[in-house]
């Protein structure tokens, strides 16, 4: 197994670990958000919708219906007012965005650069400073020294083979060969 395969496996394992940690954090955050929403809903219902007790006589039932009808009307008015506020604010946002675009003119966005972030930095950014998770995978690796073998030394000492051929080519090369033989 080559060094590249080991590095790829280590990187893949690291990515998988980071994914699992981030998914666990996201799951706990979703659960917290869901429980918070549920408690807000219960509080709102307890505050605005008292328990219903049905009276026995017809006049009391009619009075209850009138009260409920008045509450429904009030809720519908509030809903309409809020919808109008939302529409007004979205219209203002669209106008401001259009003005901003007109002021800028044609602007070419620069290409985004890839940000290199270590696993520790990513976890710290995600979790904050309260969690201490160390992903120093290099701490467990041992140092390996590269030794020169005799074959590599011989190959370096031979030099460039093209120089020898250029020297021996042509008439001058043959003359040198003839002179060196005698």
């Amino acid at each position: 197994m080559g060094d590249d395969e080991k590095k790829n496996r280590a990187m893949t394992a690291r990515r998988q670990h980071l994914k699992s940690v981030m998914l666990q954090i996201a799951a706990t955050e979703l659960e917290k958000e869901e429980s918070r929403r549920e408690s807000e809903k219960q509080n709102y219902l307890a505050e605005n919708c008292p328990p219903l007790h049905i009276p026995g006589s017809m006049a009391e039932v009619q009075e209850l219906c009138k009260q409920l009808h008045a509450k429904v009307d009030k809720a519908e008015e509030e809903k309409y007012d809020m919808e109008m506020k939302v529409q007004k604010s979205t219209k203002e946002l669209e106008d401001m965005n259009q003005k901003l675009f007109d002021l800028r003119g044609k602007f070419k966005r620069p290409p985004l650069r890839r940000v290199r972030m270590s696993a520790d930095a990513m976890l710290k950014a995600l979790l904050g400073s309260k969690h201490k998770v160390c992903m120093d995978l290099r701490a467990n690796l041992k140092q390996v020294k590269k030794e020169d073998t005799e074959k590599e030394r011989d190959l370096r000492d031979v030099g460039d083979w093209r120089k020898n051929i250029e020297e021996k080519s042509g008439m001058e090369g043959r003359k040198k060969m003839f002179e060196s033989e005698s």
Side-chain angles (χ1 to χ4, degrees):
M1 196 164 27
D3 287 338
D4 289 338
E5 284 185 50
K6 288 180 183 177
K7 286 180 184 177
N8 287 339
R9 284 187 182 175
M11 287 173 46
T12 304
R14 189 179 202 174
R15 281 191 202 118
Q16 292 296 334
H17 178 70
L18 284 175
K19 279 184 185 178
S20 66
V21 169
M22 289 193 307
L23 285 174
Q24 288 172 353
I25 292 169
T28 56
E29 291 295 321
L30 283 174
E31 289 172 6
K32 288 178 186 175
E33 181 72 20
E34 190 64 33
S35 64
R36 187 185 60 80
R37 283 184 184 172
E38 189 62 33
S39 65
E40 283 180 3
K41 181 179 175 183
Q42 293 300 328
N43 291 340
Y44 181 82
L45 288 176
E47 183 180 308
N48 293 324
C49 302
L52 185 64
H53 23 69
I54 300 174
S57 70
M58 190 66 158
E60 290 176 350
V61 171
Q62 287 178 342
E63 183 63 32
L64 179 65
C65 286
K66 286 180 184 178
Q67 289 175 357
L68 291 175
H69 190 61
K71 285 184 179 181
V72 168
D73 285 345
K74 184 179 174 186
E76 286 292 324
E77 286 177 9
E78 289 176 2
K79 176 185 164 192
Y80 179 77
D81 290 343
M82 286 186 180
E83 285 177 352
M84 288 298 115
K85 284 182 184 177
V86 167
Q87 284 180 358
K88 183 179 176 185
S89 59
T90 54
K91 180 71 174 153
E92 287 176 3
L93 277 174
E94 288 173 1
D95 291 343
M96 287 181 176
N97 282 335
Q98 185 62 39
K99 285 180 185 177
L100 185 66
F101 183 74
D102 291 342
L103 288 174
R104 272 191 196 159
K106 292 186 179 179
F107 178 75
K108 199 171 193 179
R109 291 182 185 237
L112 299 176
R113 286 188 224 134
R114 184 174 186 166
V115 177
R116 298 206 176 242
M117 186 181 256
S118 69
D120 292 329
M122 194 180 304
L123 283 173
K124 187 174 182 184
L126 183 66
L127 300 173
S129 60
K130 59 185 172 184
H131 295 285
K132 293 286 183 183
V133 179
C134 187
M135 285 287 298
D136 191 13
L137 297 176
R138 292 183 179 162
N140 299 333
L141 299 177
K142 60 182 179 180
Q143 296 263 333
V144 178
K145 291 186 179 180
K146 183 179 177 185
E147 297 179 11
D148 286 342
T149 60
E150 288 183 27
K151 288 182 184 178
E152 289 176 0
R153 264 188 251 129
D154 291 342
L155 286 174
R156 273 188 271 133
D157 293 340
V158 167
D160 194 5
W161 57 272
R162 286 170 275 187
K163 289 182 182 176
N164 294 337
I165 290 181
E166 287 175 5
E167 289 174 3
K168 293 180 181 178
S169 64
M171 287 301 285
E172 288 141 23
R174 291 176 196 224
K175 208 187 266 185
K176 288 179 186 175
M177 282 175 52
F178 184 73
E179 291 172 0
S180 62
E181 288 179 7
S182 52

